[in-house]
Amino acid sequence: MNTHLRYTLILICFILGKLNVNAQIHENQQFLKEIGIIDSLYSHTLKEFREIYIELPENYDPKNNKKYPVAYILDGEKLLPTVSVVQSFYSGGYTPEMVLIGISNSKNRTRDLTPTKIDTKYGMPFTEKNGEADKFYKFIEDELVPFVEKKYSVTNYRTLIGHSYGGLFTIYTLINHPQLFANYLAIDPSLDWDNQKLLNHAKDIFPNNSLKGKSLYMTLNGQLHMMNSKVTIDNVMQDTTDFTLFSRSNIEFSNLVNQNNKNELAYEWKFYPGDIHGTISFPSIMDGLISLFKWYQMEDTDKINSFDTPKEELFKIIKNRENKLKYHFGYSEPPYPEELLNMSGYMNMDMGQPEKAKMYFELAIKYYPESANTYDSMSEFYERMNDFDNALTFTIKAYEKKPNDYYKQRILTLKKKQQEQTTTK
């Protein structure tokens, strides 16, 4: 295998294989791991303690300056493991690494997640406490989000995920309080609640609301009628019985969103004919996160993988991605992981393309200025070019960032090479 092809395959494997890095099993790790750590806070709004479950990215370190987007997951005790598994496969390439916050709804679930009060449901008495979504939203906005942002290294880029009543609450939040979250993943939402009151409310609000920069992914399960298999996605809207009110409400809301696309909401709806209400969460979370973060996925990988792509074009691709991430996140974010920039630098150096190599090393320093490794890589570049003055300068910078014996020894070695070069001139 020629060197060019070998490096191209390595680079492709890095870009695609980074998705699975968290799923790899190392000898010093247990085969199974517990999902999430338990935390809690007292809510003055709800007048009770509320448990939350925290799942941190693999390389999370509160001592450095890196902050992560955050996903808030309703019914966290049930759905956090699913989100965590999806992230373990897709984060880094398809979705960003995120801090995951699972909110417990094991108690007072109906009370907290439903937006209006009812005392009958489908003609039957309904005595369970309900209709306090306004108060639960206030808890999230005024207490939970500040608690998380103070205690954990997160940004203000947030995603909300909910299923069933949690999906209803997700749609309620998008309609009434769109400013708090950027992304909304509503899984089989119970939009039939209170004779479609939230749906009817949306008809008044959607035409006038600007939802630019917001994204919604919504799903519907395949059990459209509990007692009649002849009801399909093609004819369900013609049925007028209570047995299809759930599915018809979902479809009607989807049609409403599509009819009011001037509000600039990024929207995708998906029907899962093979799933029921109890199984739809997993595929919805997987597909939903990939859809909501479609813009995050790497572009022009063929040109990045090719050693024939001019340096100027590569630089433009990198800067375009940097600008795209900043546009969506609302803050600056490195366009590529440090490891990818570093690897690209070494590959181009080995392929005899020093100008490209230098560009990658310079960008690594720009995007990761606190990393000693980026300065050390630039030092090795200059050493390879027999420029021991600059090689020494960058090793000293690496040592300043991370004093250790390795950099200390490199400083001594480069000083010796510097002296020998001066002597031979």
Side-chain angles (χ1 to χ4, degrees):
M1 183 181 294
N2 66 52
T3 305
H4 188 147
L5 179 57
R6 177 166 57 87
Y7 278 134
T8 300
L9 291 175
I10 292 173
L11 195 58
I12 291 171
C13 288
F14 181 90
I15 293 172
L16 299 180
K18 186 166 174 62
L19 316 176
N20 279 328
V21 68
N22 294 335
Q24 300 298 319
I25 300 169
H26 302 287
E27 292 181 0
N28 62 344
Q29 290 181 330
Q30 293 180 346
F31 182 72
L32 298 176
K33 70 172 184 175
E34 185 177 344
I35 301 294
I37 57 175
I38 298 176
D39 205 339
S40 66
L41 69 159
Y42 181 78
S43 169
H44 295 281
T45 302
L46 302 176
K47 295 181 171 52
E48 63 189 25
F49 277 96
R50 184 58 60 112
E51 279 191 345
I52 57 175
Y53 312 98
I54 317 296
E55 178 77 358
L56 302 172
E58 183 181 18
N59 296 318
Y60 179 91
D61 183 357
K63 295 179 182 179
N64 64 31
N65 295 323
K66 182 171 177 56
K67 292 187 176 184
Y68 297 86
V70 57
Y72 289 85
I73 305 150
L74 303 169
D75 295 314
E77 56 276 283
K78 294 181 179 180
L79 296 187
L80 175 62
T82 301
V83 179
S84 177
V85 168
V86 170
Q87 279 292 97
S88 73
F89 282 91
Y90 287 95
S91 69
Y94 287 86
T95 66
E97 291 184 292
M98 292 187 284
V99 170
L100 308 179
I101 308 293
I103 307 172
S104 176
N105 292 108
S106 59
K107 298 178 181 179
N108 300 313
R109 181 175 186 271
T110 304
R111 179 199 73 180
D112 292 340
L113 299 180
T114 54
T116 53
K117 292 186 181 295
I118 63 172
D119 53 25
T120 62
K121 186 177 181 182
Y122 291 107
M124 300 291 290
F126 191 83
T127 58
E128 190 175 357
K129 197 169 184 181
N130 63 85
E132 297 188 13
D134 286 345
K135 188 178 290 187
F136 189 64
Y137 173 81
K138 183 176 175 60
F139 154 69
I140 293 176
E141 181 179 42
D142 295 346
E143 297 176 317
L144 179 58
V145 168
F147 174 85
V148 169
E149 292 185 346
K150 182 178 180 180
K151 193 168 183 178
Y152 300 96
S153 297
V154 299
T155 69
N156 61 0
Y157 189 89
R158 311 180 192 98
T159 297
L160 179 63
I161 302 172
H163 167 246
S164 193
Y165 283 166
L168 174 67
F169 182 85
T170 300
I171 299 295
Y172 152 85
T173 303
L174 171 65
I175 292 172
N176 294 288
H177 310 284
Q179 73 283 353
L180 192 59
F181 298 93
N183 298 321
Y184 297 81
L185 204 173
I187 306 165
D188 223 20
S190 303
L191 293 169
D192 58 326
W193 178 263
D194 196 4
N195 294 314
Q196 302 179 315
K197 187 164 285 188
L198 183 64
L199 171 60
N200 292 324
H201 179 53
K203 292 176 182 178
D204 296 328
I205 290 181
F206 252 66
N208 303 313
N209 266 16
S210 173
L211 295 172
K212 185 177 182 180
K214 307 298 178 182
S215 299
L216 169 64
Y217 185 88
M218 191 172 81
T219 63
L220 174 64
N221 84 82
Q223 202 165 23
L224 304 176
H225 190 299
M226 295 292 291
M227 302 175 67
N228 185 356
S229 60
K230 293 182 179 179
V231 173
T232 68
I233 194 67
D234 297 319
N235 60 27
V236 64
M237 296 305 289
Q238 298 165 20
D239 187 275
T240 58
T241 67
D242 286 345
F243 293 111
T244 59
L245 184 61
F246 183 97
S247 52
R248 286 187 288 112
S249 300
N250 186 304
I251 296 170
E252 193 173 344
F253 181 82
S254 180
N255 292 338
L256 174 68
V257 175
N258 287 324
Q259 290 162 9
N260 292 278
N261 54 17
K262 290 183 180 179
N263 61 23
E264 298 186 76
L265 174 69
Y267 177 61
E268 185 173 348
W269 179 88
K270 188 169 182 178
F271 175 55
Y272 291 83
D275 281 281
I276 60 175
H277 189 66
T279 67
I280 194 175
S281 291
F282 192 99
S284 296
I285 288 170
M286 181 179 69
D287 294 341
L289 287 176
I290 293 172
S291 173
L292 291 171
F293 289 103
K294 193 176 296 182
W295 52 266
Y296 183 80
Q297 296 163 26
M298 294 183 187
E299 60 285 290
D300 296 314
T301 53
D302 57 331
K303 294 180 180 178
I304 293 173
N305 291 335
S306 173
F307 289 96
D308 295 327
T309 306
K311 184 189 78 170
E312 293 75 19
E313 187 172 358
L314 288 171
F315 185 79
K316 184 178 179 180
I317 291 170
I318 295 169
K319 292 300 293 184
N320 285 343
R321 179 169 175 78
E322 178 185 5
N323 293 335
K324 183 182 69 170
L325 295 187
K326 185 175 183 179
Y327 171 80
H328 285 278
F329 281 131
Y331 51 82
S332 295
E333 185 74 7
Y336 297 105
E338 177 188 344
E339 299 95 323
L340 180 55
L341 294 170
N342 210 41
M343 181 185 296
S344 298
Y346 280 108
M347 287 182 177
N348 279 280
M349 192 158 59
D350 290 343
M351 290 297 296
Q353 299 191 7
E355 290 303 313
K356 288 184 187 177
K358 184 181 180 184
M359 176 194 72
Y360 278 116
F361 291 138
E362 287 174 341
L363 289 172
I365 290 173
K366 174 187 174 182
Y367 297 127
Y368 300 94
E370 298 305 313
S371 170
N373 185 57
T374 61
Y375 296 97
D376 184 52
S377 296
M378 182 61 87
S379 171
E380 290 189 26
F381 167 80
Y382 279 116
E383 184 180 13
R384 189 86 66 93
M385 299 295 109
N386 292 319
D387 183 346
F388 299 117
D389 292 342
N390 275 314
L392 179 61
T393 297
F394 279 95
T395 297
I396 291 172
K397 288 181 179 180
Y399 182 77
E400 290 171 350
K401 296 294 180 182
K402 188 178 181 179
N404 60 28
D405 290 339
Y406 170 74
Y407 294 135
K408 184 183 292 186
Q409 184 59 48
R410 271 192 56 75
I411 290 172
L412 294 175
T413 300
L414 288 169
K415 282 184 176 179
K416 183 178 179 181
K417 289 184 176 182
Q418 186 185 45
Q419 290 172 354
E420 290 173 352
Q421 188 179 60
T422 302
T423 303
T424 58
K425 285 183 179 179

